[in-house]
Amino acid sequence: MPGARECAFPVGPPPELLVYLDWGASSWHLSGALRLPPRSGRATARSLTCAALLYRFVAEEWLLTVNDLKHFAYCEAIVYLTHRMGVRETPTEYMEYGREVEKEEHVQQLLKKYKVARVLRGVHLVSRELRLTGAPDFILVTKLGELIPVEVKWAEPAPRGRVKRDHVVQLAAYALLMERTWPGSRFSVKRGVVLYLKPSPKFFEVPLTAEDKKAVLDMLKRALDVVRGRAEPRKRARCTGCNYHAHCPFRSYQ
Ligand code: SF4
């Protein structure tokens, strides 16, 4: 699991790895935070318990990631390829460069607009109830206590300056995870932000409605069925530009 990175924000994120777990079962429920201070390297009994649970989540192999869902929204065949056939995405130069982009400097422009009190990075969200895990690029905590997931994309928006559908799915999935796992009171995550860096940095606020979240829950259910081999993936009509094309038995040659 990747460690948390310290951001150069004036308000500063907590300099530790955070994992928020939601372990839902018929008879009991645990929602907790795993905090591993990097400097001392000491772990508490609580953090060790959370780490053991997290290990069990992964070992059970029933988790999908938010990235899986984002791919599923693009083409259902991708989760079949990655989870059942072990195919890895062919890395492109574009993707490699995207990893190197210093995302922190671009998020600065959001601080004033959203009256941000804290910016969190490296927060891993895990929900057994949803069978889903993921880590948004950033979580903004406003002065009013609102939580806003933020994704930074080394990409262009969709035609006519719209947010791409798979990115809306990604934000709605993070919203669902945050609502189920965040310690303390229950609340609704009502909006997220996508920051597209191409052709020039521009951010888009995305309302996250109950319908969006319901659509993601339906998509998650279907993705789990595909991963388990209970449903056939529906493939895209066109495969142009897909990074899985070389290894995909479902590909079309149009
Ligand atoms: S090659 Fe086509 S069918 Fe296969 S994953 Fe890519 S878009 Fe889907």
Side-chain angles (χ1 to χ4, degrees):
M1 174 173 293
R5 288 179 54 197
E6 201 154 347
C7 305
F9 292 116
V11 285
E16 69 260 75
L17 168 67
L18 291 180
V19 179
Y20 287 172
L21 302 171
D22 178 15
W23 178 275
S26 54
S27 56
W28 58 289
H29 177 97
L30 170 71
S31 181
L34 165 62
R35 293 166 181 262
L36 296 176
R39 292 192 185 87
S40 69
R42 283 174 296 181
T44 63
R46 182 185 175 86
S47 68
L48 287 173
T49 305
C50 288
L53 287 174
L54 184 61
Y55 175 78
R56 210 178 141 191
F57 285 155
V58 175
E60 285 181 358
E61 290 191 68
W62 42 251
L63 283 181
L64 287 183
T65 67
V66 172
N67 225 26
D68 286 328
L69 273 190
K70 183 185 77 168
H71 286 149
F72 195 78
Y74 176 78
C75 175
E76 293 190 3
I78 295 176
V79 291
Y80 186 92
L81 295 175
T82 52
H83 285 266
R84 292 192 70 87
M85 294 176 62
V87 172
R88 294 270 170 272
E89 188 172 13
T90 308
T92 60
E93 200 178 322
Y94 191 73
M95 287 164 61
E96 293 298 330
Y97 185 74
R99 278 193 199 110
E100 300 304 317
V101 168
E102 282 304 324
K103 297 179 175 178
E104 284 90 349
E105 66 187 66
H106 297 289
V107 175
Q108 295 280 349
Q109 59 186 294
L110 301 177
L111 303 185
K112 197 168 171 193
K113 175 177 168 60
Y114 290 102
K115 297 186 171 57
V116 173
R118 295 171 73 206
V119 180
L120 304 179
R121 185 166 192 190
V123 178
H124 295 257
L125 307 161
V126 186
S127 171
R128 188 188 194 202
E129 179 196 345
L130 295 177
R131 306 194 170 192
L132 186 66
T133 179
D137 283 339
F138 301 95
I139 296 176
L140 307 182
V141 185
T142 71
K143 289 176 181 162
L144 294 175
E146 183 184 358
L147 299 175
I148 303 174
V150 177
E151 278 296 301
V152 182
K153 304 292 181 192
W154 177 248
E156 297 175 6
R160 295 192 292 280
R162 290 178 296 112
V163 176
K164 292 177 176 167
R165 178 173 170 261
D166 50 343
H167 297 156
V168 176
V169 165
Q170 201 177 0
L171 286 176
Y174 286 134
L176 286 167
L177 278 172
M178 288 158 69
E179 289 168 3
R180 278 163 178 76
T181 62
W182 211 262
S185 61
R186 295 301 190 203
F187 57 89
S188 168
V189 176
K190 295 187 174 62
R191 55 185 172 169
V193 173
V194 182
L195 185 57
Y196 289 110
L197 298 180
K198 296 189 76 174
S200 58
K202 187 173 180 188
F203 67 83
F204 295 79
E205 185 175 303
V206 181
L208 299 171
T209 64
E211 290 73 32
D212 292 326
K213 294 171 193 172
K214 168 79 169 50
V216 167
L217 288 175
D218 292 344
M219 186 181 291
L220 178 58
K221 184 170 176 298
R222 183 163 163 76
L224 284 164
D225 282 346
V226 169
V227 165
R228 290 169 177 147
R230 294 179 189 161
E232 185 87 357
R234 288 185 289 247
K235 66 181 187 112
R236 282 174 73 86
R238 287 173 175 269
C239 299
T240 320
C242 175
N243 295 337
Y244 294 87
H245 193 272
H247 307 286
C248 180
F250 305 102
R251 65 183 177 264
S252 69
Y253 292 93
Q254 292 178 21

